[in-house]
């Protein structure tokens, strides 16, 4: 072989090897069933789609993600969907059009957003479901959330303890309890309810607990959860549903309310105060005197909202399940960093199935906040310690008027 031909052939081989090496360093995605290479790298734009600015929680999440991702060397663009599935789909399309190489989505409706994330995937973007799993699509690469059933478990355990159910509370005279589940379009909601129902159902079976509305009985099934759901987690809707329960309750005592979210809890409290002004948080339910009609029920919650801190401090709410959402932002950023470094992120948790695929899943652990913590519980000021709110805001919370 002549030297010139050898050099030319060798050069072609080196070019080919370099191309293969370059492709191998990229993360594969799918476009129309075919493999596409993700070119995600440090410095790229990351699109963030949050449900709404109306809830304290999502403002903190959005801010945390921007902070963590930019500190890791990425650009960010943050959009809020005003709790509108159609707006969120538009937001995702716009983020991809702006050049986002990865999309982080906390979905308003886990099914409705499917076509938008599929389009993002078709354009080569990595899709990360944030807090809420995106359902019935293969266009989801990773899922970062909290241990969902743990939320319901912690809420139910509080009710069981306060009502002394393990020691026979409600055996002689059944305790009235109102039950609520989360939004019917949020795929996290049935997991929250399952955690609670698995623990509370045996007490319906034994007759210790009864639902004055008649909807929840010992034969109530997990798949029936939408019968007690509160659409969009809306406080006003929760208040209306509680109004109907209070009408059925009449002048009977109310021992507890299973509420999956602090805003729902607030709606419940307003309904109770309107229907039964004799009931007061200054007279907490006492299992040794369960027939006291003026006793205030044990009310649960979730998310550590400002109003929950106030209501727990003054005894109107028993607890809230607090999710240190900075952990979600950190894990999401770690996933994106690994992809940008040519690695494949892996989790030691079981993947969650979204109806189309098993999605690699990371589960963070939530905490229970109470006024006087014992065991693994946390005090109310934990929201300051974890950076969810400032000390100044915390002081305002514990001095604010109750049940506003």
């Amino acid at each position: 072989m002549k030297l010139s031909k050898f050099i030319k052939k060798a050069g072609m081989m080196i070019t080919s090897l370099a191309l293969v090496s370059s492709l191998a360093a990229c993360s594969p995605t799918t476009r129309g069933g075919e493999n596409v290479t993700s070119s995600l790298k440090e410095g790229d734009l990351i699109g963030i789609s949050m449900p709404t600015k109306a809830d304290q929680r999502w403002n903190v999440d959005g801010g945390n993600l921007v902070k963590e991702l930019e500190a890791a060397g990425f650009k960010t663009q943050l959009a809020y969907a005003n709790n509108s599935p159609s707006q969120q789909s538009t937001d995702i399309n716009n983020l991809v059009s702006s050049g986002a190489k990865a999309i982080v989505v906390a979905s308003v409706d886990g099914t409705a957003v499917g076509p938008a994330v599929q389009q993002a995937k078709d354009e080569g973007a990595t899709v990360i479901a944030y807090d809420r799993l995106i359902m019935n699509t293969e266009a989801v690469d990773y899922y970062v959330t909290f241990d969902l059933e743990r939320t319901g478990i912690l809420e139910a355990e509080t009710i069981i303890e306060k009502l002394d159910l393990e020691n026979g509370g409600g055996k002689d005279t059944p305790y009235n309890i109102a039950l609520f589940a989360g939004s019917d379009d949020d795929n996290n909601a049935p997991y929250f309810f399952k955690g609670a129902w698995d623990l509370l159902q045996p007490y319906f079976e034994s007759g210790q607990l009864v639902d004055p509305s008649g909807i929840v009985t010992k034969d109530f099934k997990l798949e029936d959860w939408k019968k007690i759901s509160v659409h969009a987690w809306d406080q006003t809707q929760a208040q209306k549903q509680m109004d109907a329960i209070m009408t059925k309750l009449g002048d009977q005592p109310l021992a507890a309310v299973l509420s999956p979210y602090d805003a729902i809890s607030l709606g419940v409290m307003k309904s109770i105060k309107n229907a039964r002004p004799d009931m007061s948080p200054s007279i907490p339910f006492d299992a040794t005197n369960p027939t006291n009609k003026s006793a205030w029920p044990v009310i649960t919650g979730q998310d550590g909202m400002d109003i929950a801190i106030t209501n727990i401090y003054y005894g109107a709410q028993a607890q809230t399940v607090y999710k240190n959402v900075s952990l979600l932002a950190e894990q999401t950023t770690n996933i994106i960093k690994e992809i940008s470094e040519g690695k494949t992120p892996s989790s030691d948790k079981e993947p969650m199935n979204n109806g189309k695929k098993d999605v690699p899943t990371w589960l963070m652990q939530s905490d229970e906040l109470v006024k006087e913590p014992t065991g693994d519980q946390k005090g109310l000021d934990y929201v300051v310690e974890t950076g969810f709110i400032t000390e100044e805001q915390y002081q305002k919370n514990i001095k604010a008027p109750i049940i506003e």
Side-chain angles (χ1 to χ4, degrees), residues 189-224:
Y191 291 99
F192 297 148
F193 181 69
K194 181 181 186 303
W197 186 237
D198 283 348
L199 296 182
L200 295 178
Q201 194 276 339
Y203 297 106
F204 278 83
E205 188 79 37
S206 66
Q208 292 168 258
L209 294 178
V210 293
D211 171 16
S213 76
I215 296 174
V216 180
T217 68
K218 64 182 178 62
D219 298 318
F220 194 82
K221 300 291 191 297
L222 178 60
E223 53 266 30
D224 297 326

Side-chain angles (χ1 to χ4, degrees), residues 14 142 155 313 404:
I14 291 171
Y142 306 105
E155 291 167 350
Y313 186 81
E404 286 194 320

Side-chain angles (χ1 to χ4, degrees), residues 95-242:
L95 291 169
V96 173
S97 297
S98 296
K101 300 299 183 182
I103 304 291
V104 180
V105 181
S107 59
V108 175
D109 183 321
T111 300
V113 79
V117 296
Q118 182 63 64
Q119 183 173 338
K121 189 72 172 172
D122 289 346
E123 293 299 323
T126 297
V127 177
I128 300 176
Y130 182 95
D131 192 66
R132 300 169 174 175
L133 185 56
I134 301 170
M135 304 300 291
N136 302 317
T137 177
E138 294 185 358
V140 186
D141 296 293
Y142 306 105
Y143 178 36
V144 180
T145 190
F146 283 87
D147 185 338
L148 303 176
E149 289 189 29
R150 177 176 165 82
T151 296
I153 290 170
L154 291 174
E155 291 167 350
E157 286 179 343
T158 292
I159 291 172
I160 290 168
E161 177 190 353
K162 298 287 187 182
L163 273 55
D164 200 28
L165 295 175
E166 290 184 341
N167 295 317
K171 281 279 190 182
D172 297 330
T173 303
Y175 293 158
N176 288 307
I177 179 174
L179 297 96
F180 292 83
S183 184
D184 52 2
D185 58 3
D186 187 340
N187 57 279
N188 283 2
Y191 291 99
F192 297 148
F193 181 69
K194 181 181 186 303
W197 186 237
D198 283 348
L199 296 182
L200 295 178
Q201 194 276 339
Y203 297 106
F204 278 83
E205 188 79 37
S206 66
Q208 292 168 258
L209 294 178
V210 293
D211 171 16
S213 76
I215 296 174
V216 180
T217 68
K218 64 182 178 62
D219 298 318
F220 194 82
K221 300 291 191 297
L222 178 60
E223 53 266 30
D224 297 326
W225 71 273
K226 289 187 179 182
K227 294 179 180 178
I228 56 170
S229 64
V230 180
H231 183 68
W233 304 87
D234 183 66
Q235 173 187 319
T236 302
Q237 179 59 37
Q239 185 170 344
K240 290 178 181 177
Q241 291 175 217
M242 190 64 190

Side-chain angles (χ1 to χ4, degrees), residues 46-69:
I46 310 299
I48 305 167
S49 175
M50 295 282 107
T52 178
K53 294 190 77 171
D55 289 346
Q56 174 185 354
R57 155 76 198 276
W58 299 116
N59 287 293
V60 174
D61 279 278
N64 284 341
L65 283 164
V66 168
K67 177 184 174 183
E68 292 289 338
L69 287 165

Side-chain angles (χ1 to χ4, degrees), residues 1-10:
M1 180 183 296
K2 291 184 179 180
L3 181 60
S4 59
K5 289 185 177 180
F6 174 80
I7 293 173
K8 184 177 180 180
K9 187 172 184 180

Side-chain angles (χ1 to χ4, degrees), residues 358-399:
D358 290 329
V359 183
T361 299
W362 284 257
L363 298 178
M364 309 297 109
Q365 181 166 306
S366 51
D367 295 287
E368 184 176 28
L369 305 188
V370 298
K371 186 176 181 179
E372 298 177 356
T374 60
D376 293 333
Q377 295 173 327
K378 304 291 186 182
L380 298 178
D381 59 354
Y382 190 59
V383 292
V384 178
E385 182 181 333
T386 56
F388 190 64
I389 62 171
T390 64
E391 175 66 27
E392 180 183 10
Q393 182 60 48
Y394 174 73
Q395 291 299 324
K396 288 181 180 178
N397 291 344
I398 63 176
K399 295 171 184 174

